[in-house]
Amino acid sequence: MQVYEELKARGLIAQVTDEPEIREMINSGKAVFYIGFDPTADSLHVGHFMALCLMKRLQMAGNRPIALLGGGTGMIGDPSGRTDLRKVLTKEAIDHNIACFKKQMSRFIEFGEGKAMMVNNADWLLDLNYLEVLRDVGPCFSVNNMLRAECYKQRMEKGLTFLEFNYMIMQSYDFYHLFKEYGCNMQFGGDDQWSNMLGGTELIRKKLGKDAYAMTITLLLNSEGKKMGKTSSGAVWLDPNKTSPYEFYQYWRNVDDADVLKCIRMLTFIPLEEIDKMDKWQGSELNRAKEILAFELTKLVHGEEEARKAQEASQALFGKGTNTENMPSTVLTAEDFENGKIGIIDMMIKASLVKSRGEARRLIDQGGVSVNDEKVKNIDFTVSEDALKEKAIVIKKGKKVFHKISL
């Protein structure tokens, strides 16, 4: 199976322009494609993970990726999928975030002479003259068509700013610039980027009289209207200091039964023949599939050793082992105790299991907190310093979150 056909079989392709041309370029290794990453945080998250895996697959097949860092577009903010205005970042914050992105991307993509490229659109967007852009690029865009674009519909209800309205033009200009300067002939993005991507292909056609192509990838775990990588406590980050390897493992270990094989197809590099055999798995076999998914993805992001540690810790929690060494943990000091004791709410806050004392109280009242498998029935529950000297305890929040507390 050639690479384009494999992408389709894995469910990665949502929609394309000019499929025969795209198929031929990708299968022959002639695609020079870009994916954009706006540096809105100091770490990539799971939502970027599929794009990185796709870039890796295509590079392995001989195609050339361009990782476009949005130092310029990040100063505007993408309105796609938003119901509110994005926070406007300072240039210093954007530059810091870009430096973090570069380090993380290098774990997935091979950069260098003749290999993948990494570029920053601030290098050309910040030097543009406004009047020149209006005269040169403005006539290529229909305001009527732009207002019909999906990326603006949600924002129109609450008020679309002129700042955000310009985002499509800036993203389109990126493709135009990359086409001229680097021979970039293809752009990839999520479903929510389709209108912006079509704007870029049209700009190239109208300005240069040449063809360029666009392809969107399916946003994973979107069956319930949620974007991939969101949990009740926030985003799942690729930076181990923001989301530990264990927490990353647990995120994938806990995906819904209906999503696990879809995730394995889209994100792992397990051969399709092996995945097809899993289609018949049910019951406890689906738990095995989740363990495979969690291990493979943690290995990709954090390395095999961290994946193994996370797996051992997870299995220990669910009765398959005894090693709790790699469980997320918090170490208390003597200063944390009052009269030789510490309350359950204080421990949960110190362990970042909750954001407030009120949240901790609600969880306890609802029966959602256990200590060493014993349900905590009173918000005044305490643990003594002497008890922790003898043995660490494990706090369980809900059904799937475990945390070790030691002295």
Side-chain angles (χ1 to χ4, degrees):
M1 185 182 295
Q2 292 187 291
V3 64
Y4 184 81
E5 285 68 28
E6 182 174 353
L7 295 180
K8 293 196 73 173
R10 288 184 178 272
L12 285 167
I13 300 176
Q15 54 189 334
V16 301
T17 62
D18 310 291
E19 186 174 46
E21 290 85 352
I22 290 177
R23 177 189 290 111
E24 193 280 327
M25 280 195 293
I26 287 177
N27 286 342
S28 61
K30 297 177 181 176
V32 180
F33 67 96
Y34 94 89
I35 298 180
F37 300 84
D38 273 353
T40 53
D42 59 0
S43 172
L44 296 165
H45 54 69
V46 166
H48 298 116
F49 184 52
M50 178 181 287
L52 293 170
C53 289
L54 181 63
M55 295 173 85
K56 184 179 179 71
R57 289 184 199 279
L58 291 174
Q59 185 175 43
M60 290 168 63
N63 299 285
R64 191 177 192 191
I66 299 176
L68 175 65
L69 301 176
T73 44
M75 298 184 75
I76 297 176
D78 185 1
S80 302
R82 301 283 298 191
T83 57
D84 57 349
L85 181 66
R86 288 186 185 272
K87 179 182 177 181
V88 177
L89 300 176
T90 65
K91 186 177 184 303
E92 291 73 23
I94 290 172
D95 290 343
H96 170 72
N97 294 347
I98 283 176
C100 296
F101 277 26
K102 286 180 177 179
K103 183 177 179 181
Q104 291 178 335
M105 286 180 177
S106 297
R107 297 207 303 265
F108 297 89
I109 313 301
E110 192 174 358
F111 294 98
E113 188 68 30
K115 299 175 183 175
M117 291 179 282
M118 188 180 291
V119 296
N120 183 347
N121 63 16
D123 293 342
W124 57 86
L125 292 182
L126 298 187
D127 292 333
L128 291 178
N129 179 285
Y130 186 62
L131 287 177
E132 289 180 3
V133 172
L134 286 179
R135 289 173 57 89
D136 191 38
V137 177
C140 299
F141 289 85
S142 163
V143 171
N144 291 346
N145 289 338
M146 292 175 72
L147 291 176
R148 286 193 290 266
E150 279 297 324
C151 60
Y152 292 141
K153 282 185 178 179
Q154 290 188 57
R155 294 292 295 119
M156 287 290 287
E157 295 176 6
K158 290 192 175 183
L160 177 70
T161 68
F162 186 68
L163 175 72
E164 297 170 289
F165 189 62
N166 277 270
Y167 191 90
M168 180 186 290
I169 296 175
M170 294 296 96
Q171 182 170 329
S172 300
Y173 192 91
D174 283 341
F175 195 15
Y176 173 65
H177 178 88
L178 294 174
F179 185 97
K180 289 194 304 178
E181 298 299 322
Y182 302 106
C184 179
N185 49 34
M186 200 176 300
Q187 59 177 328
F188 292 175
D191 283 348
D192 59 338
Q193 295 292 313
W194 186 239
S195 298
N196 293 340
M197 294 163 69
L198 290 180
T201 60
E202 281 295 291
L203 180 60
I204 291 170
R205 185 182 63 82
K206 290 177 179 178
K207 291 294 296 179
L208 303 176
K210 297 181 179 180
D211 290 324
Y213 308 98
M215 184 167 86
T216 65
I217 57 178
T218 308
L219 286 175
L220 191 58
L221 302 185
N222 208 29
S223 57
E224 298 178 359
K226 300 176 182 178
K227 285 194 175 182
M228 185 173 71
K230 296 290 185 181
T231 69
S232 59
S233 58
V236 177
W237 304 98
L238 305 192
D239 183 343
N241 295 315
K242 294 171 77 73
T243 299
S244 71
Y246 170 81
E247 292 168 322
F248 187 85
Y249 180 98
Q250 283 298 109
Y251 171 77
W252 297 107
R253 176 62 181 79
N254 294 325
V255 298
D256 291 340
D257 289 355
D259 288 320
V260 59
L261 288 179
K262 180 169 64 175
C263 293
I264 289 176
R265 278 196 175 86
M266 288 181 166
L267 295 176
T268 76
F269 288 79
I270 297 173
L272 282 170
E273 303 80 46
E274 294 183 28
I275 300 173
D276 289 340
K277 295 176 183 177
M278 300 179 191
D279 277 333
K280 299 177 182 178
W281 289 7
Q282 295 180 353
S284 62
E285 289 180 315
L286 283 178
N287 286 329
R288 181 182 163 202
K290 292 178 184 182
E291 290 179 351
I292 292 172
L293 171 69
F295 182 83
E296 290 296 320
L297 299 190
T298 307
K299 181 173 71 172
L300 271 173
V301 174
H302 298 294
E304 187 165 358
E305 182 179 356
E306 291 297 332
R308 179 184 54 77
K309 290 179 180 178
Q311 185 178 60
E312 289 177 357
S314 179
Q315 289 175 344
L317 293 175
F318 291 97
K320 296 182 180 178
T322 58
N323 180 14
T324 60
E325 178 184 353
N326 299 305
M327 187 187 301
S329 63
T330 295
V331 178
L332 302 179
T333 65
E335 288 74 24
D336 294 318
F337 294 82
E338 185 175 346
N339 297 323
K341 295 181 179 181
I342 184 170
I344 182 64
I345 292 177
D346 288 327
M347 284 190 289
M348 293 177 71
I349 289 176
K350 289 181 182 296
S352 298
L353 289 171
V354 292
K355 295 180 179 178
S356 67
R357 303 183 72 85
E359 181 185 353
R361 290 191 189 96
R362 285 192 296 274
L363 278 170
I364 294 168
D365 289 341
Q366 294 165 4
V369 179
S370 299
V371 172
N372 292 343
D373 290 329
E374 292 289 331
K375 189 167 290 186
V376 176
K377 299 178 180 179
N378 192 314
I379 60 171
D380 296 323
F381 177 89
T382 61
V383 174
S384 71
E385 185 175 0
D386 289 338
L388 275 177
K389 283 180 182 178
E390 292 184 14
K391 188 177 180 180
I393 66 169
V394 175
I395 298 177
K396 181 181 177 184
K397 170 188 167 184
K399 295 181 179 180
K400 300 176 180 178
V401 177
F402 296 81
H403 199 97
K404 181 168 68 175
I405 302 290
S406 60
L407 187 64

